[in-house]
Amino acid sequence: MQQITIASTSTLHGSGYLEYLLDYLSVFFKNADTILFIPYARPGGISHDAYTETVQKAFAKIDKSVTGIHKHSNPVEAVAQAEAIFVGGGNTFVLTNQLYKNNLIDAVQQAVKTGTPYLGTSAGSNICGLTIKNTNDMPIVYPPSFNALALVPFNINPHYLDPLPDSKHMGETRETRIKEFHNFNTNPVVGLREGSWLAVSGKSIKLKGELPARIFEYNKAPYEVAPDTQLNHLK
Amino acid sequence: MQQITIASTSTLHGSGYLEYLLDYLSVFFKNADTILFIPYARPGGISHDAYTETVQKAFAKIDKSVTGIHKHSNPVEAVAQAEAIFVGGGNTFVLTNQLYKNNLIDAVQQAVKTGTPYLGTSAGSNICGLTIKNTNDMPIVYPPSFNALALVPFNINPHYLDPLPDSKHMGETRETRIKEFHNFNTNPVVGLREGSWLAVSGKSIKLKGELPARIFEYNKAPYEVAPDTQLNHLK
């Protein structure tokens, strides 16, 4: 039975890395001692090692050890044998490209299907959707496809932002961008605000955290759903 | 001799469509009576016709007529025969995809090389760079390549935004995103603020408008350049 946590962000303003999620994660990862971390989306100039260290420090607080997939000679096997998987944030295009390069799309899908718990934050959540077409990231590399892991039958827009009422910036709002997506695509999009996550357990998909999420369905007005709403009708 | 105007935006806050540029454009397009408009990036739910009408109204003020490329049965021929070309804003991925689908990449490059004046705004400016890897747009369609028109030997980041000093949003700043681009790419990026444009005439590339631009070169600290600075050293 699949067990997935799809979190908008790793870090809330003024709080430590993964801090707001740790209580939840100690239950979510209760059957795992070691978590396989996939740092491929790594942001900025830090190394995969440095990124993995940040994750190790956070998970040490709930007594989990963490290994970086870049330390394994066979990444496909590392995924197949993992007790649990965490894909961190950074750039979604870089992450997707690296997953394809390392033949990990099928491997992660298989692992999740057979019950390996999966945590994604930000870019690691984007790839849980059907495609990465609702990422907010800059397309700094060209991946072989925008198709993603399709662990849920819709797309994710993490870091969902409401329009700034007094902005003089003429760029599109997030809502406008997602509406434009629906000129070319029909699948739903879940806009996850900072501090929200989707808790997927088998066929159940529940919104968690304190804020509502904004749902965009094809040919429908966008609407809000409250925490603990069941979202398994979306497809 | 190539004649290109690469504008950050079509519309300044509180001003009409293309209004801030019209005086400049009446000189830039002095040898053209009719402008071929490419509406492929069209934003939101409006039709190519409706988008073209907006452009027609703006150019009527400087006595130019405008035809939409979607009205021509042979778009490649339309570009080859155009007196002038304007590519409007919207979504850069949609625009790039449509240019490839209609075999217009070569056609526009050829036309510009032989002196047809080209105006781009926003998405239409993004595609003047080597690649579209510095667009701010959502990747709502998957184009066959991120390679663009390469009319200038660097990339464009239109609508360049400075960091908001008090933001609690944890998303990357524009500067961070462009720095991350340089972890994977080496060409320079010109961050064009709203109301700025590049005036390209043969080998001369000058910054125009009232604001400085921010230049990002590989392995260099970003720096500001003032209006009227010559940028033909960038490559």
Side-chain angles (χ1 to χ4, degrees), chain A residues 131-150:
Chain A
T131 71
I132 62 165
K133 290 181 180 174
N134 298 102
T135 176
N136 311 307
D137 295 340
M138 194 172 261
I140 60 179
V141 301
Y142 183 70
S145 170
F146 284 172
N147 291 336
L149 295 170

Side-chain angles (χ1 to χ4, degrees), chain B residues 29 31-36 63-67 82-85:
Chain B
F29 284 135
N31 295 324
D33 293 321
T34 302
I35 295 162
L36 180 70
D63 297 319
K64 306 290 175 191
S65 68
V66 171
T67 65
E83 289 181 76
I85 297 168

Side-chain angles (χ1 to χ4, degrees), chain B residues 123-202:
Chain B
S125 291
N126 244 311
I127 58 167
C128 293
L130 295 171
T131 71
I132 61 165
K133 290 181 180 174
N134 298 101
T135 176
N136 311 307
D137 295 340
M138 193 173 262
I140 59 179
V141 300
Y142 183 69
S145 171
F146 283 172
N147 291 336
L149 295 171
L151 304 182
V152 288
F154 46 78
N155 275 9
I156 305 292
N157 179 251
H159 309 285
Y160 183 77
L161 264 189
D162 295 291
L164 295 168
D166 298 320
S167 175
K168 289 183 180 169
H169 183 63
M170 300 296 285
E172 300 83 0
T173 64
R174 192 67 58 81
E175 174 152 331
T176 301
R177 289 163 183 262
I178 298 174
K179 283 182 181 168
E180 287 176 13
F181 166 83
H182 277 145
N183 290 334
F184 299 91
N185 306 270
T186 56
N187 59 270
V189 181
V190 174
L192 279 179
R193 295 186 174 90
E194 304 288 61
S196 296
W197 69 96
L198 298 179
V200 182
S201 179

Side-chain angles (χ1 to χ4, degrees), chain B residues 16-17 19 22 26 55-64:
Chain B
Y17 188 74
E19 201 177 313
L22 282 179
S26 69
V55 175
Q56 282 165 335
K57 275 181 200 155
F59 276 108
K61 294 175 192 161
I62 56 169
D63 297 319
K64 306 290 175 191

Side-chain angles (χ1 to χ4, degrees), chain B residues 75-91:
Chain B
V76 171
E77 216 165 83
V79 164
Q81 289 169 0
E83 289 181 76
I85 297 168
F86 170 36
V87 182
N91 183 290

Side-chain angles (χ1 to χ4, degrees), chain B residues 102-123:
Chain B
N102 290 288
N103 297 311
L104 286 180
I105 299 283
D106 286 356
V108 174
Q109 285 171 328
Q110 269 316 105
V112 173
K113 226 173 254 173
T114 55
T116 309
Y118 175 106
L119 165 66
T121 60
S122 192

Side-chain angles (χ1 to χ4, degrees), chain A residues 24-193:
Chain A
Y24 175 82
L25 292 177
S26 71
V27 179
F28 182 71
F29 285 135
K30 64 180 182 297
N31 295 324
D33 293 321
T34 303
I35 295 161
L36 180 71
F37 176 54
I38 300 183
Y40 291 157
R42 67 164 164 185
I46 69 168
S47 67
H48 286 155
D49 277 350
Y51 194 11
T52 303
E53 263 172 50
T54 304
V55 174
Q56 282 166 334
K57 275 182 201 157
F59 276 108
K61 294 175 192 161
I62 55 169
D63 296 320
K64 307 290 176 192
S65 70
V66 172
T67 65
I69 196 169
H70 60 291
K71 292 292 198 191
H72 292 259
S73 56
N74 185 333
V76 171
E77 215 164 82
V79 164
Q81 290 170 0
E83 289 182 77
I85 296 167
F86 170 35
V87 182
N91 183 289
T92 305
F93 296 90
V94 174
L95 171 58
T96 303
N97 197 46
Q98 285 296 106
L99 289 176
Y100 276 102
K101 268 195 176 170
N102 290 288
N103 297 311
L104 286 180
I105 299 283
D106 285 355
V108 175
Q109 285 171 329
Q110 268 317 106
V112 173
K113 224 172 257 175
T114 56
T116 310
Y118 175 105
L119 164 66
T121 60
S122 191
S125 290
N126 244 311
I127 59 167
C128 293
L130 296 171
T131 71
I132 62 165
K133 290 181 180 174
N134 298 102
T135 176
N136 311 307
D137 295 340
M138 194 172 261
I140 60 179
V141 301
Y142 183 70
S145 170
F146 284 172
N147 291 336
L149 295 170
L151 304 181
V152 287
F154 46 79
N155 274 10
I156 305 292
N157 179 251
H159 307 286
Y160 183 78
L161 263 190
D162 295 290
L164 297 167
D166 299 319
S167 175
K168 290 184 180 168
H169 183 62
M170 301 296 286
E172 301 83 359
T173 65
R174 191 67 58 79
E175 175 153 329
T176 301
R177 288 164 183 262
I178 298 174
K179 283 183 181 167
E180 288 176 11
F181 166 82
H182 277 146
N183 290 334
F184 299 91
N185 306 270
T186 56
N187 60 271
V189 181
V190 174
L192 279 179
R193 295 186 174 90

